[in-house]
Amino acid sequence: MPDLANETPALVNETPALTDERVDHRFKGLPPDAEGLTVGELSAQRRNLFTGGYTTPVLALSAESVEHNLRLLETYAERHGLAFAPHGKTSMAPQLFDRQLEHGAWGITAAVPHQARVYRAHGIARIFLANELVDAAALRWLAAELDADPDFRFLCYVDSVRGVELMDEALRAAGAARPVDVVVELAAGADGRTGVRTEAECAAVADAVGGVATLRLVGVAGYEGTMPGADAERVREWLHRLVGLAADFDKAGRFDPSIGEIVVSAGGSEWFDAVAEVFEETPELSLPVLKLLRSGAYVSHDDGQYRERTPFNRIPEEGALRPAFRLWSQVVSRPSAEQAFTNAGKRDAAHDLHLPEAQVVRDARTGEIRAAEGVTVSGLSDQHAWLATAPEADLEVGDWIGMGLSHPCTSFDKWQLIPLVEADGTVVDHIRTFF
C-alpha cells in the first residue's frame, strides 16, 4: 500500500498548527496552571497525568496501545493484500489520521461533508465518503476542492437513480470541471441500512451514472456492520455478491478503462477477516482491483463492544488489539459500604453500548495503583458514575478510578483534547478532535 505520509499535497490551511493552539477553559481535564500555554508547550513539559495538575475527570489514551494497534492493522492489511482507508469518524483526530497514513493507510474514510472538510483542512489527499452525497452546498464545495487540486482523490457512494440526478444537477450548476468518482453501494441484505437492494437495481444506478458527465463509476462498495442477524455465513454470502457485482459491471463494460483501477470496498471493525478472505478470491478483471478495507475502531480499540467482537478473537494467530482508552475520575462521595460515586458521567464516558468498566484504583494517599476489586459501575448520571462496592472494595473519597470504555466513536466525541499517556503516566502529546 502506498504511504501517503510523503505524498499528501500541501494545502492552503488557514487553521493554526494544532500544537500552536492555546490551552484554556475549553478543554476539560487539562491543568488549570497551563492556561495560556500552547498545546505544544504543554506536551513538551511531559507532565505526569496524576501529579502534573490534570483535573478529573480526564480521558487518557495509551501511547503504547495506539502504536501497537497502528502497527497491527498495517501488517494485517499488507499480509492480506488489502488497501486501507480507516474510518476517520471514529476519532476525528488529524494527528491520528497522520499516524494511520504513516502506517500504510491509502486514505481516510468519512461519513458526512463536515468530516471531509475537516480532513481537507488538515491535508488529507484521499477521501472515501461512505454515503451518498446529495447536498448541493456540499457538492459545490467538493467541486471547488477537486478543481483546485488535481492530486485530491475523492470517492463516494451512489445508491439511487434520484441521487445520481441530484448530484449531476448540483455539479453542473457548480461548473465542476472534474467528474466525481462514485461506487455503487450494495445493501447488506434486504433489511440493511442503506444501499441498493438488488443487482438489477444496482445496474440501473450504474447506468444512470454512465449517462451523466459529472460522475464517473469506479467500483462497488458496502458496509456489512449493520446487517441484521449478521453471522459469518451471511456476511461472506453478501461479500461474494459484492465481488460478483464488480465482475458483472466489468463484463458489461460499465467501467471506463481511464479509471485505472476498479474499487471494491467493505469492512467495519467486526468482520474484516471475512472481507480479507472473500476479497482474496476476487477474480481477475479488466483492470487492477483496489481492495479497500475501511475499519476504524482499531486505532483505540475498547473494553466492551470491540473487545467482544473483534475478528482477532477468531484469528488469534494474527495478533490482538489493545484497548487504549482509560477514563480517570475521582471518588467524591462514599455514602455507604455498598456505594460510591465518582465525578465522571454521561458527559464524559461512552454509554450507548455498555457502561464503563472499573479497572484500577489509584490510592489518593500513596499513589499506588491496584486492581479495582469489588468495584462495579452500576449506572451513570450526567456528571456522576454510580459505583456498587462489594466488601472487598478498598475505596475512599479522593481515590482515582481508572475505567475502561466501550465504543470508541462515542468516547472520542466527548473530548476535544485528549492526553496521550505513556505507561508510567507521562503525558507525551495531546490529541485534538473535531466533532
Side-chain angles (χ1 to χ4, degrees):
M1 292 178 293
D3 182 350
L4 292 190
N6 298 315
E7 295 181 10
T8 303
L11 297 176
V12 177
N13 186 350
E14 297 181 356
T15 60
L18 297 178
T19 54
D20 294 338
E21 192 162 15
R22 295 287 173 182
V23 174
D24 58 26
H25 60 276
R26 292 171 297 161
F27 305 118
K28 59 185 181 180
L30 299 193
D33 67 354
E35 179 99 12
L37 295 177
T38 67
V39 172
E41 289 168 343
L42 176 59
S43 298
Q45 291 181 355
R46 296 179 66 87
R47 298 193 186 194
N48 186 277
L49 184 72
F50 308 109
T51 62
Y54 290 83
T55 63
T56 57
V58 59
L59 180 66
L61 270 175
S62 162
E64 293 88 354
S65 294
V66 167
E67 178 64 21
H68 169 85
N69 295 343
L70 289 166
R71 290 186 182 279
L72 182 61
L73 257 291
E74 178 184 21
T75 57
Y76 180 86
E78 289 177 347
R79 187 180 303 124
H80 293 279
L82 299 170
F84 192 32
H87 211 316
K89 58 98 176 173
T90 297
S91 71
M92 287 303 295
Q95 292 150 287
L96 294 181
F97 299 164
D98 288 345
R99 299 296 310 282
Q100 290 170 312
L101 293 169
E102 290 166 3
H103 282 276
W106 173 93
I108 305 293
T109 295
V112 293
H114 157 71
Q115 294 168 357
R117 291 183 62 202
V118 171
Y119 299 3
R120 287 300 284 165
H122 291 91
I124 303 302
R126 292 175 178 164
I127 298 173
F128 186 110
L129 187 82
N131 237 332
E132 186 167 62
L133 182 59
V134 295
D135 184 303
L139 286 161
R140 285 195 298 273
W141 169 82
L142 174 61
E145 286 290 305
L146 288 167
D147 292 350
D149 183 358
D151 293 320
F152 174 36
R153 183 160 189 204
F154 176 91
L155 299 82
C156 72
Y157 285 173
V158 287
D159 86 339
S160 64
V161 172
R162 176 57 176 156
V164 171
E165 293 172 352
L166 289 169
M167 293 183 75
D168 177 54
E169 178 182 324
L171 291 167
R172 282 190 291 107
R178 286 177 62 189
V180 172
D181 287 348
V182 296
V183 292
V184 173
E185 182 192 6
L186 176 66
D191 298 319
R193 185 175 62 189
T194 57
V196 189
R197 268 36 183 178
T198 69
E199 279 75 1
E201 291 172 302
C202 285
V205 173
D207 289 341
V209 172
V212 300
T214 54
L215 303 177
R216 187 172 73 155
L217 182 67
V218 299
V220 299
Y223 175 56
E224 73 290 343
T226 57
M227 178 187 291
D231 58 27
E233 181 178 355
R234 294 189 66 193
V235 169
R236 285 180 173 81
E237 179 183 357
W238 174 78
L239 287 165
H240 281 294
R241 286 182 61 201
L242 184 67
V243 171
L245 183 64
D248 290 346
F249 280 5
D250 190 43
K251 184 177 180 180
R254 290 190 170 94
F255 297 123
D256 190 296
S258 67
I259 65 176
E261 63 186 3
I262 296 168
V263 178
V264 181
S265 180
S269 296
E270 295 183 23
W271 295 103
F272 56 73
D273 57 334
V275 173
E277 179 184 316
V278 175
F279 278 12
E280 189 175 1
E281 302 170 5
T282 302
E284 185 174 348
L285 303 182
S286 64
L287 294 168
V289 177
L290 181 71
K291 304 169 186 177
L292 194 60
L293 183 68
R294 305 194 309 273
S295 312
Y298 80 98
V299 69
S300 65
H301 198 46
D302 76 359
D303 280 298
Q305 178 83 352
Y306 293 105
R307 179 179 64 190
E308 296 170 3
R309 301 191 181 188
T310 175
F312 287 116
N313 292 338
R314 297 186 290 270
I315 48 173
E317 68 279 5
E318 298 264 19
L321 294 167
R322 298 176 184 171
F325 278 127
R326 182 158 281 171
L327 176 64
W328 290 96
S329 62
Q330 201 164 18
V331 177
V332 293
S333 180
R334 188 78 160 100
S336 72
E338 295 78 30
Q339 197 172 45
F341 294 86
T342 79
N343 59 349
K346 293 178 181 179
R347 304 293 177 89
D348 313 298
H351 55 89
D352 55 319
L353 297 177
H354 301 87
L355 288 171
E357 178 181 275
Q359 295 179 330
V360 294
V361 176
R362 185 177 188 276
D363 193 292
R365 297 178 186 274
T366 67
E368 174 195 3
I369 294 178
R370 59 181 181 270
E373 295 180 0
V375 181
T376 303
V377 179
S378 59
L380 293 177
S381 299
D382 282 354
Q383 306 288 184
H384 291 90
W386 296 56
L387 305 184
T389 53
E392 67 270 22
D394 181 10
L395 203 64
E396 66 176 345
V397 170
D399 290 344
W400 288 36
I401 302 289
M403 301 177 186
L405 302 177
S406 177
H407 199 186
C409 301
T410 51
S411 297
F412 276 107
D413 68 3
K414 293 173 174 57
W415 296 83
Q416 294 184 67
L417 206 56
I418 305 171
L420 186 69
V421 184
E422 292 183 339
D424 65 358
T426 302
V427 177
V428 294
D429 202 354
H430 294 80
I431 304 301
R432 183 72 157 93
T433 66
F434 291 85
F435 286 95

